[in-house]
Amino acid sequence: RDSPIIADIDAGFGNAEATYLLAKRMIEAGACCIQIENQVSDEKQCGHQDGKVTVPHADFLAKINAIRYAFLELGVEEGIIVARTDSLGAGLTKQLAVSNEPGDLGDQYNSFLDCDEVDLSTIQSNDVVIYQNGRLVKPKRLPSNLFQFKKGSGEDRCVLDCITSLQNGADLIWIETEKPHINQIGSMVKKIREVVP
């Protein structure tokens, strides 16, 4: 008798197209469920390790959509997608999110960045600045070229990750934590259920 297979494809091993191709191979091999996480593929760290780097929501949602497309193309209409967020332990991002208007998903992602207010006279060559809440700010960038999130923003980032994943094709969510803090998870799940019951 066949057993259901859950395939963990880490961060998709590339962009949305690479994720689609990998998911398709996993489904052809018998996977009825694909798990993917919101880390950057080439900066991937195990869940318990420090130094995790996440991608903007639009990039992650494109990978979720790619997996769904692979399921549908292969005639598996009830394929399950598990969206894992590593945001709780990830204090870094490789890129700023694209934002087209205040309050959109990109703007929400960028609002978690650790920034310093600047004015035009202090901007130097190659500085990255964004206009946020009526102010010109410079996200803190490390020598590794990674941008830093505000300390203590992990739970709010997890909640937004889970809400957007569930609203855009994920069937289940996985919140990666360093330890099984039941109250912490319960608090986040309560906030998620306020938007996605």
Side-chain angles (χ1 to χ4, degrees):
R1 186 173 168 159
D2 291 336
S3 297
I5 297 171
I6 300 173
D8 180 351
I9 62 171
D10 287 336
F13 295 93
N15 61 12
E17 182 178 359
T19 300
Y20 158 76
L21 293 171
L22 178 59
K24 191 171 176 184
R25 296 295 303 266
M26 294 292 186
I27 297 162
E28 288 170 337
C32 63
C33 178
I34 305 281
Q35 177 190 292
I36 188 157
E37 59 199 63
N38 68 335
Q39 288 192 54
V40 174
S41 289
D42 60 352
E43 302 282 345
K44 168 81 175 76
Q45 297 284 344
C46 289
H48 64 281
Q49 294 178 317
D50 289 333
K52 290 186 282 297
V53 182
T54 60
V55 297
H57 291 91
D59 294 16
F60 189 55
L61 298 178
K63 291 181 180 187
I64 290 173
N65 289 330
I67 295 167
R68 180 62 64 207
Y69 183 74
F71 272 127
L72 294 175
E73 184 178 322
L74 293 171
V76 182
E77 293 186 16
E78 295 183 7
I80 303 294
I81 299 172
V82 179
R84 169 177 151 175
T85 175
D86 280 275
S87 289
L88 194 60
L92 304 168
T93 186
K94 197 168 193 174
Q95 67 195 71
L96 304 180
V98 174
S99 174
N100 296 312
E101 59 184 56
D104 68 10
L105 200 51
D107 186 47
Q108 290 177 64
Y109 186 82
N110 292 339
S111 74
F112 294 118
L113 294 168
D114 192 2
C115 299
D116 292 318
E117 190 167 356
V118 294
D119 61 50
L120 292 175
S121 66
T122 62
I123 296 174
Q124 298 178 10
S125 177
N126 297 318
D127 275 351
V128 173
V129 296
I130 54 178
Y131 188 70
Q132 197 175 64
N133 299 322
R135 304 175 312 147
L136 194 59
V137 296
K138 182 170 87 169
K140 291 183 181 171
R141 185 165 47 174
L142 305 178
S144 61
N145 209 32
L146 298 172
F147 295 95
Q148 193 171 289
F149 287 115
K150 295 174 192 169
K151 298 275 188 234
S153 66
E155 286 190 25
D156 289 335
R157 286 185 283 124
C158 281
V159 169
L160 185 59
D161 293 342
C162 293
I163 289 169
T164 57
S165 294
L166 290 168
Q167 289 174 331
N168 288 278
D171 300 292
L172 299 169
I173 54 173
W174 172 330
I175 300 173
E176 182 70 16
T177 62
E178 72 282 6
K179 293 180 182 167
H181 299 296
I182 302 301
N183 291 337
Q184 180 186 44
I185 292 293
S187 172
M188 287 188 277
V189 169
K190 182 179 178 186
K191 291 175 186 175
I192 295 162
R193 284 183 169 158
E194 287 173 5
V195 181
V196 185

